Amino acid sequence: MLLMLIISALVVGISLGLLGAGGSILTVPALILLLDMDEKTAITSSLLIVSLIALTGALSAFKQKLLVKKVLLWFALLSLPAASIGAQVGAWLPNGLQTIILASIMLFAAKKLFHPSSIQGAKILSVKQLVVAASITGFITGLVGVGGGFLIVPALVLYAGLTMQQATANSLVLIALNGAVAFFSLRVSGNALDLDWMVILIMAGVGALAVLLGQKISHFLDQTILKRSFSILLLLVALSLMTQSINTFI
């Protein structure tokens, strides 16, 4: 189990470091498929794991002075309550349904990664569109335990006028905050679960180191090939999750 745990953490961390966003979407599938966790425990654990891993990248972004406080404040104020609501809604959904929702999101992300499009940034902050984007990403984070970086980054570029580098850096802060809020929302409610803290700490620790490794080697690799390879991986994992979840309903 320890070997599978370390492998899972390395895959999640390195992919997050290489791509800048989207790697944390593999955390829940890794916990379910490789570590045999049940859906609810995997999603709750993922919220904290993703938050801790993203925090490592966020600290690096802070040191590089890439954070835009005004945008972070707007996005956080809107996404954090939505993340808490998403977590509570997810806790009441029947077993298997959250995994199917996650697999569907993974298929969407795989399509976007395989056929990446150039994003033209906004010239001014579009508050109305930012409200919608922040609320949706926060809700999805809480609902299925993903970081939502593959949604946050385009939103920050399109509606807040950030550069891709700024958007990626600021998304890590928002991922860390949304994951933490959703996690503690579940812990203080009547939906708290018994968690394997050793798994959480090892995966978060190894994943955080792997993020730094991924960031260092990302400059030497072709981003188009990386994204398409990752999209194929997402497709295969999503199909595996759907097959397993459908079986729970039969």
Side-chain angles (χ1 to χ4, degrees):
M1 177 181 174
L2 180 60
L3 178 60
M4 295 304 295
L5 176 58
I6 293 174
I7 291 173
S8 301
L10 287 172
V11 170
V12 171
I14 290 176
S15 59
L16 183 58
L18 287 174
L19 298 169
S24 59
I25 201 172
L26 289 175
T27 307
V28 173
L31 294 173
I32 293 175
L33 298 174
L34 300 181
L35 300 179
D36 201 29
M37 269 193 191
D38 66 88
E39 177 190 69
K40 303 293 184 186
T41 304
I43 289 174
T44 303
S45 300
S46 174
L47 288 169
L48 185 56
I49 292 168
V50 167
S51 181
L52 292 172
I53 292 176
L55 182 61
T56 303
L59 292 175
S60 175
F62 176 76
K63 291 178 181 178
Q64 296 177 55
K65 298 182 179 181
L66 292 171
L67 303 184
V68 183
K69 294 179 181 178
K70 179 181 179 181
V71 173
L72 281 176
L73 179 62
W74 270 106
F75 213 100
L77 287 175
L78 298 165
S79 64
L80 296 183
S84 178
I85 294 170
Q88 298 301 323
V89 170
W92 290 102
L93 291 178
N95 286 328
L97 185 54
Q98 280 170 285
T99 305
I100 290 176
I101 294 172
L102 173 59
S104 301
I105 293 171
M106 292 175 73
L107 291 175
F108 170 79
K111 182 178 181 297
K112 289 294 184 182
L113 281 170
F114 197 84
H115 297 290
S117 56
S118 59
I119 304 174
Q120 298 296 325
K123 293 182 179 180
I124 59 173
L125 178 66
S126 176
V127 176
K128 184 182 296 184
Q129 291 169 314
L130 201 62
V131 167
V132 176
S135 300
I136 291 174
T137 53
F139 184 80
I140 289 175
T141 295
L143 183 67
V144 293
V146 302
F150 62 96
L151 295 173
I152 295 175
V153 171
L156 292 176
V157 175
L158 287 170
Y159 310 132
L162 302 190
T163 65
M164 282 298 295
Q165 185 183 27
Q166 288 176 323
T168 298
N170 285 268
S171 75
L172 291 171
V173 178
L174 294 167
I175 289 169
L177 290 174
N178 283 332
V181 166
F183 175 81
F184 287 109
S185 173
L186 289 172
R187 297 304 292 176
V188 300
S189 69
N191 300 311
L193 299 170
D194 291 328
L195 303 177
D196 190 328
W197 290 99
M198 186 62 69
V199 168
I200 291 174
L201 292 175
I202 290 176
M203 195 159 185
V206 174
L209 293 175
V211 166
L212 299 178
L213 174 62
Q215 288 175 333
K216 286 186 178 297
I217 64 177
S218 64
H219 305 292
F220 304 102
L221 301 173
D222 187 295
Q223 283 293 307
T224 300
I225 295 175
L226 274 176
K227 289 179 179 180
R228 289 189 172 180
S229 299
F230 187 69
S231 73
I232 294 171
L233 176 60
L234 284 183
L235 174 62
L236 295 174
V237 174
L239 293 176
S240 297
L241 281 178
M242 280 198 168
T243 300
Q244 179 172 313
S245 299
I246 290 172
N247 288 337
T248 65
F249 289 106
I250 298 177

